[in-house]
Amino acid sequence: MSDAARSANTFPEGFVWGAATAAYQVEGAVDADGRGQSIWDTFCRVPGAIAGGDTGDVACDQYHRYAEDIGLLADLGLGAYRFSIAWPRVQPDGSGAINQKGLDHYRRVVDELLARDVVPYVTLYHWDLPQALQDKGGWPARDTAYRFAHYAAVVHDALGDVVKQWTTLNEPKVSSHAGYGSGIHAPGIKDPVLRDRAVHHLLLAHGLSLDVLRRGRHAAGQQVGLTLDVSPVVPASDSQADVDAARRVDVDSHRLFLDPVLRGVYPVQLDCVEDGDLELISAPIDFLGINYYRRILVRAAPTGDQRAETILPEGVPVTAVNWPVQPDGLREVLVDLHTTYEELPPVYITENGAAYDDVPAEDGTVDDPQRVDYLQTHLAALRTAIAAGVDVRGYFVWTLLDNFEWAEGYAKRFGIVHVDYATQTRTPKTSAGWLGRVARANALPSGDSTD
């Protein structure tokens, strides 16, 4: 490989390579050791809410098999693990008594990671609100933000001596929009007023917990950030109606979260903002996590109350969840953030991956060439964004394991490790070995660069 090709394929020194999971999707053990109920435990019991009537009751049983999974990750050569703490496992009712057995579990997980030289990246909230707090109003209730800050302080006090990488929230847009707007996620509510209140109180929870972590006794040497899902939003045509529709989607899906965090203002008026809230929300973060999966092609909705609709581009391959595969969208997202927000902090790609219908061969191996191509092309696009000046510090594949994929149940597989749900047998796919080699080399193989 020439020096130029090597430079084009190499990632910055110290670049972090890891895999991500979320507690409800992998842990199972929903009744073990004092864990309380979450909104997802409740939502999974709603007829028709989840494909196949599936639940996260067992999931990947990682609550009991975490050492095996950490071993898999470490053996691949991935040096970081992004995972979430289940709030109801630590504080069953979301307030009041702390469940020490829950904290002890996560301490064992962290100790196992450190023993295998894997850096823990902890997410405090990945959608599993304690049901007891939903019964009191959930995220549309302002008090939930204060309950979250207390929970964050408890976890930080217990783990902050060894965990130095913290994410407050994962994708608050999904928590608010899908949970309280469209109702396709827990708690399954369809109310635009409650949705907007959830938006603000989730961001307020971020700001309050950021303040708590900064003032905690383990604050030295830590990094605290927030993870947002961001996509380029493209109008389907040059018509003014489509352009306006795309702008509305971008504001509602992205700027509604980016602007208050990075600029201290909302792009639209929310009626539940109180004095001092935006100062908390816009306090500087140490990093911004970006979850990227696809471009969004938008046209004005022809009829009905809906003002915009997402459509699939013609001639573009799609994944098993019907998302278009457009790797350059990742570069677009990063360059847009870099040019739009002057105070953009360092970025981590905290999720990126694809679902495909992976079928084990007769010998038990799982070959997933589509996922290898997906990762290869997206990492090439990421490398191009870095070359353009975007400060990207790491990449976490979504996801380590096939798992409970929210409303899709177990029908869709995003993992680089195949899980046989009947036996809980783990089998690394071809993509796992490929990504491990990239991580060890800190570079794409020759010929994978798009520079």
Side-chain angles (χ1 to χ4, degrees):
M1 185 189 304
S2 68
D3 290 344
R6 184 178 296 107
S7 175
N9 284 276
T10 300
F11 287 81
E13 184 177 355
F15 194 80
V16 174
W17 295 95
T21 63
Y24 191 75
Q25 293 182 268
V26 298
E27 284 185 351
V30 295
D31 296 322
D33 296 333
R35 178 189 179 275
Q37 293 290 290
S38 78
I39 54 175
W40 276 93
D41 296 300
T42 301
F43 191 61
C44 285
R45 266 67 189 179
V46 176
I50 310 297
D54 293 334
T55 76
D57 290 2
V58 176
C60 306
D61 194 32
Q62 193 183 81
Y63 186 76
H64 299 110
R65 300 169 185 263
Y66 64 88
E68 177 186 358
D69 293 340
I70 292 168
L72 282 169
L73 184 144
D75 290 344
L76 288 172
L78 300 178
Y81 185 41
R82 177 180 178 250
F83 67 99
S84 73
I85 307 289
W87 188 351
R89 202 177 289 285
V90 170
Q91 200 172 28
D93 291 330
S95 60
I98 301 302
N99 178 30
Q100 187 60 43
K101 289 184 178 180
L103 286 173
D104 291 346
H105 166 72
Y106 291 112
R107 185 69 188 214
R108 291 190 293 271
V109 171
V110 170
D111 287 347
E112 184 69 24
L113 287 165
L114 296 175
R116 295 301 306 265
D117 294 323
V118 176
V119 178
Y121 281 68
V122 169
T123 298
L124 288 165
Y125 186 73
H126 200 131
W127 308 351
D128 46 1
L129 182 72
Q131 181 60 43
L133 287 184
Q134 180 56 40
D135 294 342
K136 296 178 181 178
W139 285 113
R142 186 179 178 90
D143 186 63
T144 302
Y146 293 95
R147 297 309 101 220
F148 180 78
H150 177 255
Y151 150 73
V154 168
V155 176
H156 187 249
D157 191 59
L159 302 179
D161 59 323
V162 286
V163 174
K164 295 302 178 183
Q165 305 290 337
W166 297 89
T167 297
T168 56
L169 309 175
N170 179 78
E171 296 186 359
K173 182 196 78 177
V174 177
S175 298
S176 56
H177 289 39
Y180 297 91
S182 67
I184 61 173
H185 277 196
I189 292 171
K190 301 178 182 179
D191 187 313
V193 174
L194 295 182
R195 188 206 80 148
D196 287 353
R197 291 177 182 170
V199 168
H200 180 62
H201 295 145
L202 280 155
L203 291 178
L204 178 61
H206 158 73
L208 290 166
S209 59
L210 177 64
D211 183 59
V212 163
L213 269 58
R214 289 270 163 77
R215 293 187 290 105
R217 67 188 179 100
H218 301 307
Q222 71 178 0
Q223 290 192 317
V224 186
L226 170 73
T227 285
L228 303 176
D229 55 314
V230 186
S231 298
V233 182
V234 181
S237 76
D238 293 333
S239 74
Q240 193 61 50
D242 285 353
V243 170
D244 289 345
R247 179 187 55 80
R248 288 194 299 270
V249 169
D250 186 48
V251 168
D252 190 59
S253 297
H254 306 127
R255 310 302 161 181
L256 187 59
F257 299 89
L258 288 162
D259 284 4
V261 171
L262 299 177
R263 289 177 169 165
V265 295
Y266 279 112
V268 296
Q269 185 174 350
L270 299 180
D271 64 5
C272 53
V273 181
E274 297 185 8
D275 290 345
D277 287 359
L278 282 166
E279 286 77 4
L280 284 167
I281 292 169
S282 62
I285 51 179
D286 298 308
F287 66 89
L288 177 65
I290 294 296
N291 295 352
Y292 172 79
Y293 290 99
R294 54 174 173 160
R295 276 199 190 106
I296 299 175
L297 185 64
V298 172
R299 70 182 178 193
T303 59
D305 295 334
Q306 187 181 5
R307 301 175 66 198
E309 62 181 9
T310 300
I311 59 175
L312 284 175
E314 295 182 2
V316 174
V318 297
T319 68
V321 291
N322 218 32
W323 291 349
V325 179
Q326 296 175 300
D328 194 55
L330 177 56
R331 180 199 59 79
E332 287 181 62
V333 160
L334 295 172
V335 171
D336 175 72
L337 290 170
H338 179 63
T339 56
T340 302
Y341 296 97
E342 294 181 0
E343 302 299 324
L344 184 71
V347 171
Y348 288 84
I349 305 305
T350 39
E351 289 183 24
N352 176 239
Y356 290 107
D357 296 325
D358 309 314
V359 179
E362 289 186 8
D363 63 359
T365 59
V366 184
D367 189 24
D368 57 342
Q370 289 176 297
R371 185 173 290 104
V372 171
D373 182 69
Y374 181 100
L375 296 177
Q376 173 180 305
T377 53
H378 282 76
L379 286 170
L382 173 59
R383 182 63 189 82
T384 303
I386 293 171
V390 186
D391 185 4
V392 183
R393 302 286 179 88
Y395 176 91
F396 292 80
V397 67
W398 184 266
T399 174
L400 178 63
L401 305 170
D402 292 336
N403 58 40
F404 176 81
E405 190 50 47
W406 307 114
E408 300 285 355
Y410 295 101
K412 306 301 179 185
R413 295 179 177 269
F414 278 84
I416 59 170
V417 174
H418 181 273
V419 177
D420 182 325
Y421 298 118
T423 65
Q424 293 296 340
T425 299
R426 274 82 158 135
T427 304
K429 305 173 187 178
T430 302
S431 59
W434 182 89
L435 184 61
R437 291 190 293 275
V438 169
R440 291 180 189 277
N442 198 37
L444 289 168
S446 177
D448 288 351
S449 172
T450 60
D451 285 358

